[in-house]
Amino acid sequence: MGRALVRALTEMDGVAVSAAIEREGSLDLGRDAGELAGVGPIGVRLTDDPLTAFAAAEGVLDFTAPRASLAFAELAAQARIVHVIGTTGWQDGDSAPLKAAARHARIVKSGNMSLGINLLAALVRKAATALDEDFDIEIVEMHHRHKVDAPSGTALLLGEAAAQGRWIPLAERSVRVRDGHTGPRHKGDIGFATLRGGSVVGDHTVILAGQGERIELTHRAEDRQIFARGAVKAALWARDKKPGLYSMADVLGLSD
Ligand SMILES: NC(=O)C1=CN([C@@H]2O[C@H](COP(=O)(O)OP(=O)(O)OC[C@H]3O[C@@H](n4cnc5c(N)ncnc54)[C@H](OP(=O)(O)O)[C@@H]3O)[C@@H](O)[C@H]2O)C=CC1
Ligand SMILES: O=C(O)C1=N[C@H](C(=O)O)C[C@H](O)C1
């Protein structure tokens, strides 16, 4: 995503790359971020010094790993800047430190930065409300072979939308793995299925399966630039907002 973000930042108006961060020891440190992203040199060399980078920036676009994003949120709070978090794979205990950082930083966090998925989430919420528990909800996702977390952040976002539509807590009703003699499906559960392989950018389908009929709502991401452009849009949106924890639905005007 780092390369996609640099490409988006060089293509879009009103933004510029002030720094690009890699981990200590990375072989790419010192290389030009634009050259790595395939857009030619932009005069910004990869650094492993986030403190200096954050101090000089108005916002940070962060697609890394939960531990790194938590550390970056603390730095964004100290620098009082915008922090856009696309990272997925969060654990239960991660939300408290993020909320603490959002007292000073303007944080936009979403498992998916695309317009299409956030619109799909709104449709799923509506469908889950309209169709009662006689319609079983299952969420299927497929991603490229390099993805390390499951279910995807997007699948969980869509599951949350379905749970909101049904007024149920997702954590208590989600079934994330099935194996062996599982017994019959429990009415009202929200199931997840994960596929991994090849170069798939990101496919998500929410199935509402009833007796004798089935609705399938699908989004297929074809290009990672949709996530990068969404992240830049989120940063520009958050620039004049108060400190807080926002979602991509807030950015796109899709929240209730
Ligand atoms: N919300 C959205 O719309 C989207 C979210 N994502 C999510 O973004 C994340 C990244 O995805 P992707 O780019 O494919 O993954 P990659 O593994 O290709 O990239 C993650 C990068 O973060 C770097 N990184 C990890 N920890 C640190 C650290 N402490 N300091 C500096 N750099 C660090 C990694 O370095 P190293 O290789 O050295 O570990 C790596 O270069 C995932 O969680 C993915 O699910 C992806 C696409 C869209
Ligand atoms: O790792 C990815 O590639 C993606 N991750 C996000 C997720 O976990 O949902 C968003 C997108 O689907 C691509």
Side-chain angles (χ1 to χ4, degrees):
M1 279 304 296
R3 289 173 168 83
L5 290 165
V6 170
R7 283 198 290 276
L9 286 162
T10 53
E11 285 161 8
M12 291 171 73
D13 291 334
V15 284
V17 185
S18 75
I21 301 163
E22 249 298 355
R23 197 201 284 278
E24 202 183 319
S26 163
L27 295 176
D28 289 328
L29 289 173
R31 291 186 62 188
D32 188 284
E35 270 181 357
L36 274 169
V39 293
I42 57 170
V44 174
R45 297 192 176 281
L46 261 61
T47 172
D48 59 1
D49 175 13
L51 202 61
T52 307
F54 279 42
E58 280 182 79
V60 174
L61 309 178
D62 168 12
F63 290 67
T64 54
R67 227 167 51 174
S69 292
L70 286 175
F72 292 154
E74 238 181 89
L75 294 180
Q78 282 167 29
R80 306 288 201 262
I81 59 175
V82 170
H83 185 194
V84 177
I85 306 179
T87 303
T88 59
W90 297 95
Q91 306 292 319
D92 284 347
D94 293 336
S95 63
L98 278 183
K99 280 185 190 149
R103 288 205 294 268
H104 302 295
R106 282 147 283 154
I107 300 181
V108 182
K109 176 174 172 284
S110 177
N112 198 299
M113 300 286 170
S114 74
L115 171 62
I117 280 291
N118 286 281
L119 181 60
L120 179 66
L123 296 174
V124 167
R125 193 177 311 119
K126 221 170 176 169
T129 304
L131 301 172
D132 65 17
E133 289 193 346
D134 283 342
F135 280 79
D136 301 321
I137 300 178
E138 294 282 315
I139 300 172
V140 185
E141 56 107 338
M142 179 157 188
H143 283 85
H144 52 91
R145 61 168 68 106
H146 303 291
K147 185 159 180 62
V148 295
D149 57 306
S152 70
T154 309
L156 294 170
L157 179 161
L158 294 169
E160 191 55 57
Q164 280 171 14
R166 290 257 164 104
W167 296 94
I168 56 171
L170 181 65
E172 287 168 28
R173 305 305 295 275
S174 70
V175 177
R176 290 165 66 145
V177 181
R178 291 188 183 106
D179 188 26
H181 184 83
T182 61
R185 192 182 197 284
H186 289 135
K187 197 168 183 167
D189 280 351
I190 296 178
F192 292 85
T194 300
L195 309 178
R196 293 285 176 267
S199 57
V200 177
V201 174
D203 290 355
H204 293 88
T205 298
V206 178
I207 303 167
L208 296 107
Q211 194 64 41
E213 61 179 330
R214 185 165 81 238
I215 294 173
E216 298 186 358
L217 300 167
T218 294
H219 178 270
R220 295 189 203 286
E222 294 170 355
D223 183 346
R224 295 194 120 200
Q225 288 306 125
I226 61 172
F227 310 128
R229 285 195 294 267
V232 177
K233 195 169 174 171
L236 291 170
W237 175 89
R239 208 155 44 157
D240 61 359
K241 300 292 175 294
K242 285 191 285 204
L245 187 52
Y246 301 96
S247 71
M248 204 55 196
D250 296 325
V251 175
L252 297 169
L254 293 168
S255 36
D256 295 331

